[in-house]
Amino acid sequence: MTPTLLSQRTPLSPASSAIPRVDSALRLSLNPVLDRRAVVDGAWWPSSRDAAAELPSLIAAVDQRLGRTTLQISVHRDAWQRIPRPVPARGRQVRIGWFRHADPRVITFIFAAGEPVVLLTIPPDTAAGAAEATLKLTAQDTAGLTTDDILTLASLPPDPAFRPTFRSGTVDGPACWENEGGSVITQETTASDNRASGPR
């Protein structure tokens, strides 16, 4: 009898390839296996910090690559300019949630079905070599690496505009987005479970 190993790694979708892939034209990488132990599922290198201009093509690319339907995206309020409320996408409006007390270097996709997907955002003015190294690295298994580890391995210098602004010991959850009204409710968390309790 062959033992069955329980794993936290599952395919992102039946439509996604089993081979890690970097799309240079879209400046997007996605690890084809969703791993709850990894802090990100891929990376994106936008051309600007203009969310209204950048998000529509990203939504279309992620939907097509994963065979999923994006319903909502969360971004850090201070890392982007012109954040739209909804973004038009094939027959629907994708809601944009923003917050200020989580890692500004990531963007989170919430789908109609399936687990959320988190992308590391590479600053637009990053040199091509460092950006491409980051895209390639995040398309592979990054379990056990923090966002800072990934940036260091890719030789990507820290970007002050994308610097995390965590409050000590707290991180906002998806129900606490500042743009949806009400008070901001924080949750106790540790660095090791930021992904699980953060805005996913």
Side-chain angles (χ1 to χ4, degrees):
M1 181 174 152
T2 305
T4 301
L5 299 178
L6 296 178
S7 172
Q8 295 179 330
R9 295 170 59 84
T10 57
L12 277 174
S13 80
S16 62
S17 166
I19 301 170
R21 185 173 146 206
V22 175
D23 191 323
S24 297
L26 295 172
R27 301 176 12 149
L28 171 68
S29 69
L30 283 168
N31 188 325
V33 178
L34 186 64
D35 190 341
R36 295 293 89 185
R37 299 168 300 170
V39 70
V40 295
D41 303 302
W44 174 46
W45 182 23
S47 298
S48 72
R49 297 185 195 274
D50 184 340
E54 299 289 340
L55 290 178
S57 59
L58 177 64
I59 292 168
V62 170
D63 283 2
Q64 180 179 24
R65 180 82 66 83
L66 300 182
R68 295 187 183 184
T69 300
T70 300
L71 295 183
Q72 191 165 319
I73 293 178
S74 63
V75 299
H76 191 281
R77 179 67 183 92
D78 297 332
W80 296 95
Q81 302 160 357
R82 290 201 323 133
I83 300 174
R85 281 297 219 174
V87 173
R90 298 180 59 185
R92 69 189 190 282
Q93 298 284 319
V94 175
R95 289 194 326 150
I96 308 299
W98 54 262
F99 47 87
R100 283 196 168 98
H101 300 292
D103 193 335
R105 298 168 297 187
V106 300
I107 180 171
T108 304
F109 280 73
I110 308 296
F111 301 99
E115 294 285 343
V117 165
V118 176
L119 298 179
L120 173 64
T121 304
I122 302 168
D125 55 357
T126 301
E132 288 166 8
T134 307
L135 289 169
K136 288 177 183 174
L137 179 60
T138 55
Q140 302 167 18
D141 183 5
T142 58
L145 297 179
T146 66
T147 305
D148 288 331
D149 292 337
I150 293 168
L151 297 177
T152 299
L153 287 170
S155 300
L156 193 66
D159 181 356
F162 279 11
R163 185 176 302 280
T165 54
F166 291 107
R167 285 179 290 176
S168 178
T170 63
V171 64
D172 286 345
C176 313
W177 290 343
E178 297 176 13
N179 68 327
E180 295 187 357
S183 62
V184 176
I185 302 167
T186 58
Q187 302 170 351
E188 292 299 321
T189 187
T190 64
S192 63
D193 61 15
N194 274 346
R195 180 182 172 108
S197 61
R200 291 289 308 197

